Amino acid sequence: MSGSESGREASIPQRPSRDLDQIREDGKLRALIAYSATSYFLYKGQTMGYEYELLRRLANHLELELEIRVARDLDQMLEILQKGQVDIVAHGLAITQERKKEVAFADYLYLTKQVLVQRKPVNWRSLTRDQTLDYLVQDPVQLIGDTVSVRKNSSYLRRLENLSREIGGSIIIDTLEGNLSTDEIIKQVVDKKIKYTVADRNLARINASNYPILDISVPVSFSQRIAWALPKGADKLLEATNDWIASEKRQTDFYVIYNKYFKNSRSFNRRIKSEFYSLNKDQISAYDTLIKKEARELGWDWRLLASLVYQESRFNPEATSWTGAQGLMQLMPATAEELGVEDRSDPVQSIDGGTKYLSRLVEAFATVPDSIQRIKFALASYNCGYNHVKDAQKLAAVKGLNEYCWDGNVDSMILALSYPKNYYHEVVEHGYVRGIEPYRYVNQIFDRYQHYTALLD
């Protein structure tokens, strides 16, 4: 996504924003993010992205659950923030005087410049460098009377307007819609749909690594600070975010994450050519068709079942655990035999067997009235065994908790079964279980499922 995107023409009425105290009371940090090749995407079933990884670290630092909202129109990001619908815009925004009147900015994450993105001649590989340069714009003054395409409410547009004044001649600005990311606009240059665009240098550079026909050598701005936006008035959240940024900048991981998305061209190029890259296709794995079929029979959203398969095997049919579980659904030998699965490494047999077992587990919790809670009981049982989950239910009843609700009730008792005073309790029949494993298992599957539903139809 562009580091210099998202601005507005008119001031939006501010609604009272939540500050850190209200956010902590709610327990959720609501973040707005862009769906793009560097910000937030799926690759081989894994949620990735520069802003996404940093957001996760921020939420963990603040001990908050992360609730992500995907921006469908990048021009409206600050408007959504000002309306109080999110707590933070985790998007690379150039800090400008205009924007500072509307929102607060956290400390900058990195510095970059805006550059002109243009095509080299088709036969550039057979030309000398001087011949190639003669074909290209080498100085912004050469843009007078020519057309540059940028998003209509981006700081790129503001920069082009200022540049026109600085060079004493008009640059024709072709304004594009807000649902286009910088990556998509750069691709339009590659495809000859537009002649020029402007992009932040780090974004232009990583895209040019995949499209060598692009030239990104001409700067059109001085260095700019790129930061996330917060609502005015959320002073405690701003202070906490700035403290976190200062701490992150002292860590190696902060720079490793940046390099991963903006400098590792080999990884970038491999991703964007993959069938299992969500910006290419609404596809999670090679087994989506099979997963959709089995999910229909199970009565589940296919993306939830896909999240479970990823959790079990990362879509590797040859995966084998130290316990002896094998295949996409990590079936144990005895379970596979009972389900009629002869070859656990066969994707069809594994998913068919695994979903049959899940169906049995869901049915075993038929007394749980809420369908989502019933699924969570089934998932926990798939991970640690039905009997341990039944023990956790019994313990919940004894402790005055709701034995038919996983969240905040039985899940706390599955954790409690890691301690002698609980697994030796008279109602517990099957003893110790390392409760953190099913607890995390359920949470991670549902967390990933939320990302899958946000990014895939």
Side-chain angles (χ1 to χ4, degrees):
M1 231 31 276
S2 165
S4 300
E5 296 185 82
S6 200
R8 289 169 341 291
E9 295 296 333
S11 177
I12 303 300
Q14 291 270 5
R15 291 190 182 181
S17 58
R18 305 194 313 169
D19 207 346
L20 190 55
D21 293 339
Q22 292 76 37
I23 293 169
R24 288 195 190 283
E25 190 175 329
D26 179 48
K28 294 180 180 179
L29 179 68
R30 303 172 309 173
L32 187 64
I33 197 169
Y35 180 33
S36 81
T38 51
S39 292
Y40 180 52
F41 57 89
L42 295 178
Y43 177 55
K44 295 185 176 179
Q46 183 179 0
T47 312
M48 299 180 69
Y50 175 72
E51 272 77 19
Y52 170 68
E53 288 204 32
L54 289 185
L55 265 180
R56 263 194 342 185
R57 294 168 74 90
L58 174 60
N60 288 339
H61 172 76
L62 297 176
E63 298 181 338
L64 294 167
E65 181 183 340
L66 179 60
E67 181 177 287
I68 285 181
R69 173 174 172 177
V70 178
R72 298 303 177 189
D73 187 326
L74 302 183
D75 287 338
Q76 296 178 359
M77 295 184 90
L78 298 189
E79 180 180 336
I80 290 168
L81 179 70
Q82 286 187 280
K83 287 181 176 178
Q85 296 174 9
V86 295
D87 304 310
I88 189 168
V89 172
H91 185 58
L93 296 161
I95 301 175
T96 65
Q97 290 301 323
E98 285 182 340
R99 288 173 173 167
K100 286 169 70 175
K101 295 174 185 175
E102 307 290 343
V103 298
F105 281 100
D107 288 342
Y108 75 90
L109 296 172
Y110 57 86
L111 301 174
T112 192
K113 292 181 180 179
Q114 295 180 18
V115 297
L116 182 70
V117 179
Q118 58 184 322
R119 280 177 59 92
K120 299 171 187 173
V122 174
N123 61 336
W124 67 276
R125 292 185 189 276
S126 63
L127 301 178
T128 66
R129 175 173 171 75
D130 287 343
Q131 287 172 323
T132 300
L133 289 175
D134 285 343
Y135 177 89
L136 297 171
V137 168
Q138 299 178 53
D139 189 291
V141 75
Q142 294 174 256
L143 293 172
I144 293 174
D146 218 331
T147 300
V148 182
S149 303
V150 293
R151 282 204 4 267
K152 62 182 177 183
N153 281 329
S154 66
S155 64
Y156 302 142
L157 182 141
R158 306 287 178 265
R159 180 60 201 138
L160 287 173
E161 290 173 339
N162 290 335
L163 186 60
S164 287
R165 289 190 289 271
E166 291 166 12
I167 62 179
S170 293
I171 298 171
I172 301 167
I173 302 175
D174 170 35
T175 55
L176 305 174
E177 293 303 311
N179 61 351
L180 290 171
S181 71
T182 298
D183 308 296
E184 291 171 312
I185 295 171
I186 289 173
K187 184 64 163 57
Q188 290 193 11
V189 177
V190 175
D191 296 338
K192 299 184 180 179
K193 293 179 180 177
I194 58 176
K195 190 173 182 181
Y196 305 114
T197 191
V198 172
D200 289 342
R201 185 166 58 184
N202 58 339
L203 288 166
R205 183 188 291 128
I206 196 69
N207 277 276
S209 71
N210 186 56
Y211 304 115
I213 199 165
L214 293 177
D215 179 86
I216 58 165
S217 64
V218 179
V220 296
S221 79
F222 296 110
S223 290
Q224 295 178 307
R225 294 173 299 156
I226 304 301
W228 292 353
L230 292 82
K232 283 184 176 292
D235 298 334
K236 291 181 180 178
L237 178 60
L238 179 62
E239 181 181 3
T241 302
N242 285 341
D243 288 344
W244 167 76
I245 290 172
S247 174
E248 285 290 298
K249 286 182 176 179
R250 293 192 291 268
Q251 308 298 319
T252 303
D253 281 357
F254 179 78
Y255 303 96
V256 169
I257 293 170
Y258 179 87
N259 291 343
K260 176 179 178 180
Y261 293 103
F262 295 115
K263 290 192 174 181
N264 189 336
S265 58
R266 182 177 298 179
S267 176
F268 178 83
N269 295 341
R270 185 167 57 244
R271 279 200 311 272
I272 65 174
K273 292 173 182 174
S274 171
E275 291 183 357
F276 310 117
Y277 171 56
S278 60
L279 277 84
N280 285 342
K281 293 184 179 180
D282 279 350
Q283 192 166 338
I284 300 174
S285 75
Y287 310 104
D288 285 5
T289 301
L290 180 58
I291 290 170
K292 288 176 182 179
K293 173 181 174 293
E294 296 294 342
R296 281 193 297 272
E297 294 184 12
L298 191 58
W300 286 18
D301 186 320
W302 78 275
R303 295 163 296 187
L304 177 58
L305 183 57
S307 180
L308 182 150
V309 179
Y310 179 90
Q311 186 79 18
E312 289 291 342
S313 63
R314 296 202 169 199
F315 302 117
N316 177 9
E318 302 296 332
T320 304
S321 77
W322 65 272
T323 62
Q326 187 178 0
L328 288 175
M329 297 288 278
Q330 289 292 281
L331 298 174
M332 295 292 286
T335 306
E337 184 177 357
E338 180 187 346
L339 294 166
V341 175
E342 297 180 357
D343 182 359
R344 290 179 291 158
S345 65
D346 176 69
V348 174
Q349 291 188 47
S350 182
I351 294 181
D352 179 66
T355 51
K356 281 179 181 175
Y357 185 47
L358 281 168
S359 181
R360 290 183 189 178
L361 291 172
V362 171
E363 182 60 32
F365 290 101
T367 55
V368 175
D370 183 86
S371 61
I372 298 299
Q373 296 300 311
R374 198 180 313 132
I375 288 172
K376 290 186 175 183
F377 278 103
L379 291 176
S381 300
Y382 195 92
N383 177 260
C384 72
Y386 171 76
N387 290 325
H388 288 304
V389 177
K390 291 301 292 183
D391 278 346
Q393 276 191 296
K394 294 175 189 174
L395 199 58
V398 169
K399 303 278 188 181
L401 299 173
N402 185 349
E403 63 185 294
Y404 302 109
C405 179
W406 177 259
D407 295 327
N409 290 271
V410 179
D411 62 350
S412 63
M413 292 299 97
I414 204 78
L415 290 170
L417 286 172
S418 297
Y419 302 99
K421 68 177 181 178
N422 296 308
Y423 63 70
Y424 284 132
H425 195 284
E426 60 184 12
V427 301
V428 175
E429 297 182 36
H430 297 90
Y432 168 84
V433 63
R434 191 168 184 267
I436 191 65
E437 291 184 1
Y439 179 86
R440 286 177 176 166
Y441 182 83
V442 173
N443 287 344
Q444 288 170 356
I445 287 174
F446 265 84
D447 180 64
R448 187 179 305 107
Y449 170 54
Q450 295 304 318
H451 291 297
Y452 285 3
T453 56
L455 296 176
L456 299 173
D457 295 327

